[in-house]
Amino acid sequence: MTVSTEGSAAVRPVPPSGPAANAPGSSKSSDADRAPRRALRSRGGLLLLEAAVAFAAALVLPLLARGFKLNPLNRIAQVSGLAAIQLRFALVGLLFIAAVVLAMRLRGGRHFDLATRLAAAALAGLASGFVAAGAVVALLGTPWPMFGLNGDSGRIVEWAHAVANGQPSGSPVYPPMPLYTLGYYAEWFHGGNTAYAFKDLQILGAAAFGPLVYLAWRMLLSPVRALAFGVVPAFALIDSYKPYSQTVLVLLVPVLVAMVVALRRSGTEGWRPLLLKGAGFGVLLGVLFLTYSGWFLWSAAGVLFAALLYFPWKTGRLKGAAFMGSALAAFLVVAGRYLMVMLKEGQTTKDYNFRFDNFTDPAYYLMWRTDMPGKVGDWPPPGEFGGVGLFALVTFVCLGAAIWLGLRKPLVVTIAAMFISAWVMRMYIASHMYETQTVQLYTRTNNQLLYCGLILCALVAHLVSLKLAERRTASETSEATAPATAPAVGSTGFPGREGAVIGTLCALLLLLGTVSSSMSDRYMPAQDGTYRILPWVSHTIRQQDGKCPKFAPKGECSKDGDQSWLSYIR
């Protein structure tokens, strides 16, 4: 189901022609048949190796953090813990970058591309492993998950326990995949204790974020580009409280884009790979839908527009229809039952829960203070241009520039369409909020708008770099064909690709380390009404053996824990 790199000079095997090529037993024919299969196996093997490195790297920092000796409720200890994680992150990351430098210098750079693949995968895993290690530090000394049995955490724990014991959950429309995953994980590793098991899955879910989003973008981009233009924007959304909802969003965008790209090419595909690829996308989308379905609603109109735009109307309507049919059939096999529940029950499910963001300007989406914002001054923050800040101006300019540079590329058009789709749905629901007195989670479109906007900004750099690469290739071709006595024509003076890769990896190491530290600090325990209250509460709940958690303030705890967070909810 791999889609070749958007904009790259991918080399496709040319099929042999002539009678000899088609003759039975022809060695040229058999070699030509085997070559694409060997190339496919080789690419598949390399992707598996990247996946293994990414997931292994994601576990390094959380495992090391388990041995830290500190009190997670002490601010100095929290800062020391973040610094200790950052130090290990930097050292391990630099080892991978050093391997890339070494590969460049040894044996004529024969293994440079392999080392680059593994380094990019490792940085993606290390970055989310950093956030997972932060969650480990925040929950040191308590067996409870963030927020214990309060709020969403408590409902998920309760519903997962019910489904694991063959009973219906408390909400038929809630995505079933997280509940069944937590229920069975608790049975296997915690004797059925879904509360304690949820702590593990919060940490493991955060750790898996980076590898999963990296592998999703690898369907579209080369390793370093997938890291820079796909993984980095996703880290604005990483979440260790309920990691699955944001993970679905950052996976859904590249998966849907890859599907549109495959649809565009389906008119010239063979029947067997066409149907298998369609079914693969259907299964993948079905799993994502079972995990968190909200993003599908915000994205549907935009993806439909992109699919109609890139449908192979001229090159193969029947094959395009077969591709979409196989994807739909596979999706219904995986998630059809839950889809029917959503269509039936979703009409009567109303969200009357007004939160902080429901009282702010609906056009502001660039930062979500969550529904537990703590103490807030002016919000949204006042901007320089008509109340709009520089960051907003940059994202809007990049949106236009990305469409200008990539108007014919499904990678750009599909993401822009998903952005516009989420914007329209947001305003439609918010415009009916007073009439219906319902919220319907419209503020959650913040995350999709921000993510798509950040990706479009990154894609501007991607598209510009492709143009520069084309100019460099043209310049080198011109120099190679120029007479030896003539001066070089069109010399651009661009540095070598190896230097660009190493420099980019170093910059991304520092950027991801800084972002991951900030997102980890967001969950360090504090009694301030922000998301930091979530792990704080976990340290104040009496354990199931009757004892208080190790670092409970003043050694005191209670059945429900510290409930002061309620005073911060409007």
Side-chain angles (χ1 to χ4, degrees):
M1 203 172 67
T2 302
V3 181
S4 62
T5 302
E6 179 84 15
S8 68
V11 180
R12 297 172 179 265
V14 179
S17 59
N22 299 321
S26 168
S27 61
K28 291 183 178 180
S29 176
S30 60
D31 289 344
D33 290 339
R34 286 195 293 267
R37 296 176 185 174
R38 286 197 297 267
L40 185 62
R41 285 196 297 267
S42 176
R43 287 197 299 269
L46 288 173
L47 281 174
L48 287 176
L49 184 58
E50 287 180 67
V53 169
F55 282 108
L59 295 177
V60 171
L61 297 178
L63 290 174
L64 293 175
R66 294 179 62 188
F68 290 179
K69 306 297 182 183
L70 52 82
N71 180 350
L73 275 62
N74 180 280
R75 184 56 186 168
I76 297 300
Q78 294 171 6
V79 173
S80 295
L82 290 172
I85 299 171
Q86 187 75 251
L87 176 63
R88 288 154 178 78
F89 170 84
L91 291 177
V92 178
L94 287 172
L95 285 177
F96 278 96
I97 295 176
V100 176
V101 175
L102 195 62
M104 177 187 69
R105 300 180 64 87
L106 296 179
R107 306 187 71 177
R110 182 182 303 176
H111 300 299
F112 179 80
D113 287 341
L114 176 61
T116 300
R117 281 175 175 260
L118 300 184
L123 290 186
L126 284 170
S128 60
F130 192 133
V131 179
V136 171
V137 170
L139 295 173
L140 282 175
T142 178
W144 296 105
M146 290 189 185
F147 222 22
L149 300 179
N150 297 281
D152 288 348
S153 179
R155 284 190 290 271
I156 292 169
V157 166
E158 179 185 351
W159 295 343
H161 181 77
V163 297
N165 288 277
Q167 301 171 1
S169 73
S171 173
V173 299
Y174 197 85
M177 185 68 75
L179 304 182
Y180 280 97
T181 301
L182 175 56
Y184 288 121
Y185 179 89
E187 292 290 338
W188 296 334
F189 298 104
H190 286 274
N193 188 332
T194 52
Y196 289 2
F198 194 33
K199 174 186 174 179
D200 290 359
L201 292 189
Q202 286 178 334
I203 295 168
L204 292 174
F209 182 93
L212 289 174
V213 68
Y214 172 78
L215 294 172
W217 278 101
R218 284 290 285 116
M219 294 191 292
L220 295 160
L221 300 170
S222 62
V224 175
R225 291 176 185 270
L227 181 66
F229 307 135
V231 175
V232 170
F235 269 73
L237 304 177
I238 190 170
D239 181 13
S240 52
Y241 175 42
K242 292 191 299 182
Y244 54 88
S245 61
Q246 308 302 337
T247 301
V248 170
L249 170 60
V250 298
L251 295 180
L252 184 64
V253 173
V255 168
L256 288 175
V257 172
M259 187 175 179
V260 172
V261 173
L263 174 63
R264 186 189 194 188
R265 298 171 178 169
S266 61
T268 57
E269 286 269 10
W271 281 103
R272 184 180 178 186
L274 174 80
L275 296 175
L276 289 175
K277 191 177 293 184
F281 277 114
V283 170
L284 186 53
L285 290 173
V287 172
L288 293 177
F289 187 76
L290 290 174
T291 305
Y292 197 83
S293 56
W295 313 120
F296 286 78
L297 174 63
W298 316 132
S299 306
V303 175
L304 177 61
F305 167 80
L308 292 174
L309 182 64
Y310 291 107
F311 189 87
W313 300 105
K314 296 181 179 180
T315 58
R317 296 183 184 180
L318 183 59
K319 287 188 174 181
F323 174 82
M324 295 304 296
S326 62
L328 178 60
F331 175 83
L332 292 176
V333 168
V334 174
R337 184 176 178 181
Y338 176 56
L339 176 62
M340 295 303 295
V341 171
M342 288 291 293
L343 293 175
K344 180 181 177 182
E345 302 288 344
Q347 300 296 323
T348 59
T349 301
K350 303 296 182 182
D351 177 15
Y352 301 100
N353 199 7
F354 283 78
R355 296 295 194 190
F356 167 76
D357 271 4
N358 301 126
F359 298 91
T360 62
D361 179 5
Y364 185 80
Y365 65 88
L366 297 165
M367 189 187 303
W368 188 44
R369 288 295 302 264
T370 75
D371 48 17
M372 297 180 64
K375 296 179 181 179
V376 179
D378 290 340
W379 192 264
E384 297 82 7
F385 178 74
V388 177
L390 180 62
F391 180 53
L393 295 177
V394 170
T395 57
F396 293 143
V397 169
C398 287
L399 171 64
I403 294 174
W404 168 46
L405 296 171
L407 185 59
R408 298 183 181 276
K409 295 181 180 294
L411 174 62
V412 174
V413 173
T414 304
I415 295 174
M418 292 175 70
F419 179 96
I420 296 170
S421 173
W423 179 272
V424 171
M425 289 293 296
R426 175 186 181 89
M427 296 307 165
Y428 174 79
I429 297 174
S431 68
H432 290 78
M433 184 170 54
Y434 178 74
E435 176 186 350
T436 62
Q437 290 297 299
T438 61
V439 176
Q440 301 305 94
L441 297 177
Y442 84 85
T443 54
R444 302 302 169 91
T445 56
N446 283 31
N447 295 324
Q448 181 165 332
L449 291 169
L450 177 60
Y451 184 45
C452 290
L454 289 173
I455 294 173
L456 289 169
C457 289
L459 288 180
V460 171
H462 167 63
L463 296 170
V464 169
S465 69
L466 290 179
K467 294 293 184 183
L468 292 176
E470 290 174 3
R471 286 186 58 189
R472 179 185 178 191
T473 301
S475 173
E476 291 174 349
T477 303
S478 176
E479 292 175 6
T481 56
T485 57
V489 178
S491 179
T492 60
F494 287 124
R497 181 176 73 92
E498 293 83 359
V501 167
I502 294 170
T504 300
L505 290 175
C506 290
L508 292 178
L509 176 69
L510 292 174
L511 176 58
L512 287 170
T514 305
V515 171
S516 297
S517 183
S518 175
M519 299 306 282
S520 298
D521 190 36
R522 182 188 188 192
Y523 289 100
M524 288 298 161
Q527 199 177 15
D528 63 357
T530 67
Y531 261 20
R532 295 182 177 188
I533 196 68
L534 304 181
W536 175 276
V537 170
S538 305
H539 288 277
T540 64
I541 301 176
R542 186 180 300 113
Q543 298 174 173
Q544 293 187 345
D545 61 4
K547 298 179 181 179
C548 288
K550 182 177 180 180
F551 299 105
K554 300 179 181 179
E556 298 175 355
C557 59
S558 63
K559 177 179 178 294
D560 297 320
D562 185 354
Q563 296 296 303
S564 62
W565 59 275
L566 290 169
S567 63
Y568 294 94
I569 301 297
R570 180 181 293 188

